[in-house]
Amino acid sequence: MTGERALKKISVRGVVQGVGFRPFVYRLARDHGLTGWVLNHSGGVEIEVEGSASALTTFIRDLETQAPPLARIESIQAADAPPAGYTTFDIRHSVAQEGRYQLISPDIATCPDCLRELLDPNDRRYRYPFTNCTNCGPRFTIIADIPYDRPLTTMRDFALCPQCQAEYHNPLDRRFHAQPNACPACGPQVWLMPDDNPQKVGDTIAQAAHLLQAGAILAIKGLGGFHLACDATNETAVRTLRERKQRPAKPLAVMMVTLEEVKRHCWVSEKEEQLLTSPQCPIVLLRWKPESSVARLAAPGINYLGVMLPYTPLHHVLLRDVGRPLVMTSGNLAEEPIARDNDEALRRLGHLADAFLMHNRGIHTRYDDSVWFVPHALPQPIRRARGYAPFPVKLPFKLKPILACGSELKNTFCVTRDEYAFLSQHIGDMENLETLEHFEATLELYNRLFRIEPGIIAHDLHPDYLATKYAKSQAADRRPQIAVQHHHAHIASCLADNEWLPDDGPVIGVAWDGAGYGTDGHIWGGEFLVADYGGFRRAARLEYLPIPGGEVAIRNPYRLAMGYVYALTGDSTWPFKVDASEEEHRVILQQIDRGINCPLTSAGGRLFDAVSALLGICRQITYEGQAAIELERVSGTHIPKSEIGYPFDLRENAEGTIIRLRPLFEALVADVRDGASIGEMAYRFHVTVAEMMRTACEKIAQETGLQTVALSGGCFQNRLLLSLVVPRLQEAGLRVLQHRQIPCNDGGISLGQAVIAHFANEE
Ligand code: ZN
Ligand code: ZN
Ligand code: FE
């Protein structure tokens, strides 16, 4: 080689391991006639390249612009150094470095190249359920530690056959250094249990498909745990699955073989299509066509269906063999965590499944399916797990190492380091020991993978939440603990989700949800806060109303309706049909009159529940949010005659503005007595809530001069409400922040807790 040679030491950070980055660097260096080496280390990818100055410049440019599809480059740093006289370009062995960390790729759905091989009878991976390459396949679920190399994954026990070995070592192959590389000769296998089915036709997956076609319920081991599956078009099978899982009404997700099939069952917008077919491949809530052959029991009382496409080779082959959509719901009983290991599944799911489709690729961490929805063209997650975690939310400022323990329902935790907030995958409802164990094991994994030692612990203000108790149990180690009010955390999470800077100042935070512990000991949830990361003031709220019987009333919204109507209007004759006995009537009245076992709440979620029951839509629930979801459905199927809401009052007191609901309930009760259309009442109720939000926000804006509103809390999973509120706020000249990367429900709270704890602990 001639001309002046130069050497660059380059360090690349981001998701650059397990995504084919080193082979890409190798090919790029060769294409540019450069020598040197590349290696993975715990902190990212290091490169030394030597060659002409101009070749080095284009190399660095191409590094960024031509990176492999799954790579996410956070930074490239290059420094000059004296030439070393390299004659070849090599991929060197990975090195672990104390304290360094790197971002880790989530698991990624099967890529088009692998799918083609999977369906090609002449390919050696035809129908092989563990086909993957550097552009797709398992990542996070098989990693025990970094650097990301096979010995530190659950693939360590599978020795590569000569053919796979050749692919692995060939820089021009799609599987060059693909750590989970496997084939039928050397990789993991599937089998059926019990193995005594009479229809032994075809291979294991074909046999499983026969069982499903015959109406059986199968436990299927997937990427991050077991699914329970059945033929989604077979109503009896779906009913049996519901009975066994003790899940009478909560919607079940359905997997469909192709996008074309999805469009036969649901309306799919452009944004929804992008999500469905993305490498993350989440469940997307789609508007369900009445002519769909999927049993209505899959999502009773709802006109949306959660649909996903196959995301592993096993799913692709199985769905093609079965030839119809499959219910694919988490393999668990009620609200326990998803079953992960084979033995565990046999023990926990034995009475739920007729047969098991097992495999022997280990799962290191439980990983549920993610769920998204697209209200007015702005996609938002409802559950963030597969395909997204453990990729962090990047903040526009650096954070101390903090652990935020989250809330109770749909829990996630958050650990922070530098400008990264590592929000865990969905952990579940923290109501049982199994979920707490999942929480602790996953936390330990995040701390290990990202080399985080949290110095501060943040938790919810609620003393009885299991996540709060976990935080308290760590008190012995003397790390500072910070209790964060639930709705403050909601608003801070929305701000962080929108890269809000501390200097951007406070916003009007509308935090509406089912429940959150207030600083006055009451249950909050219809809150208008003036808030920033550093603190909050409760500027307006719904008035306090009784929850007669507490938890019982939350499961039985008719009790809420009775309590609200009685407390607001004194009317104890109930204009609506209730399922309560004479005795229960008497008890409810007494509870309210004497304030016995009658917590007070300002929660918006409870208002939706009460109205849903008052209108006779949903009097009893079997899953969280059911009454509000069905209320929205009834409103959504109705073409409104009137865009005018019901009346409500504002009253000022020393605390701020109180929204009074007596006029609303008087009007609703009158409409119910008059036999007004339920759809019309439900729609007008949504308009009323939107008007309340506009009125309160405008008032606070006038008082404070603030121009930005942040919307957070589970009530904002309501599409109709969003479609009525957002334009009203915008018409009032206000800028509206909504969630984008993390859920507006309690699954996003830990991010807000972490950021608040950071600023609370600032010296
Ligand atoms: Zn692939
Ligand atoms: Zn092989
Ligand atoms: Fe909440």
Side-chain angles (χ1 to χ4, degrees), residues 110-114 132-137 174-175:
T110 307
C111 76
D113 289 330
C114 285
N132 68 83
C133 72
T134 47
N135 299 322
C136 75
R174 206 172 82 244
R175 297 194 166 88

Side-chain angles (χ1 to χ4, degrees), residues 127-130 158 184 187-193 195 203-208 220-222 312-315 317-318 342 356-361:
R127 290 176 66 85
Y128 180 57
F130 304 95
F158 299 95
Q189 303 294 334
V190 289
W191 67 91
L192 260 179
M193 287 179 78
D195 195 19
D203 63 16
T204 306
I205 298 181
Q207 288 174 37
I220 299 174
K221 189 173 180 182
T312 71
L314 190 153
H315 296 143
V317 174
L318 184 66
N342 294 351
F356 288 79
L357 184 56
M358 297 286 202
H359 67 69
N360 57 348
R361 187 175 69 199

Side-chain angles (χ1 to χ4, degrees), residues 8 32 34 52-63:
K8 291 267 186 199
H32 289 82
L34 300 168
S52 73
S54 64
L56 286 173
T57 307
T58 49
F59 173 83
I60 292 170
R61 186 200 60 206
D62 293 350
L63 211 51

Side-chain angles (χ1 to χ4, degrees), residues 486 490 513 515 746:
H486 189 93
H490 267 308
D513 64 4
D746 288 1

Side-chain angles (χ1 to χ4, degrees), residues 675-686:
S677 140
I678 292 171
E680 186 76 10
M681 290 188 285
Y683 183 85
R684 289 186 62 197
F685 168 70
H686 280 81

Side-chain angles (χ1 to χ4, degrees), residues 456-637:
I456 301 167
I457 300 180
H459 60 80
D460 194 274
L461 206 55
H462 200 304
D464 297 331
Y465 281 178
L466 216 48
T468 306
K469 288 181 176 167
Y470 170 82
K472 303 271 188 211
S473 74
Q474 308 295 302
D477 62 21
R478 294 176 183 281
R479 283 182 283 181
Q481 299 218 345
I482 292 167
V484 181
Q485 202 281 322
H486 189 93
H487 302 97
H488 184 204
H490 267 308
I491 298 307
S493 77
C494 184
L495 295 180
D497 198 355
N498 285 279
E499 293 172 32
W500 194 257
L501 289 163
D503 294 343
D504 292 340
V507 297
I508 302 166
V510 184
W512 274 49
D513 64 4
Y517 199 78
T519 52
D520 57 2
H522 295 311
I523 302 166
W524 294 10
E527 311 306 311
F528 298 85
L529 311 178
V530 171
D532 59 14
Y533 297 130
F536 75 96
R537 175 171 72 81
R538 205 180 183 198
R541 62 167 171 88
L542 290 181
E543 69 176 299
Y544 283 133
L545 286 164
I547 310 179
E551 274 303 311
V552 186
I554 289 164
R555 288 193 304 275
N556 298 282
Y558 71 85
R559 277 175 161 252
L560 281 172
M562 294 164 83
Y564 278 29
V565 171
Y566 180 58
L568 287 166
T569 70
D571 187 346
S572 62
T573 57
W574 324 124
F576 50 96
K577 186 185 172 305
V578 291
D579 306 316
S581 63
E582 284 295 316
E583 171 67 8
E584 198 178 354
H585 277 214
R586 203 178 49 74
V587 170
I588 290 169
L589 295 184
Q590 262 184 14
Q591 282 175 328
I592 294 168
D593 284 339
R594 300 181 192 168
I596 302 163
N597 190 15
C598 212
L600 293 178
T601 188
S602 58
R606 297 286 96 87
L607 174 60
F608 277 81
D609 290 351
V611 171
S612 184
L614 175 58
L615 303 190
I617 294 164
C618 183
R619 298 188 186 96
Q620 288 179 298
I621 62 165
T622 58
Y623 66 92
E624 195 231 346
Q626 183 178 355
I629 289 169
E630 293 185 8
L631 179 66
E632 182 192 354
R633 195 257 316 183
V634 170
S635 321
T637 52

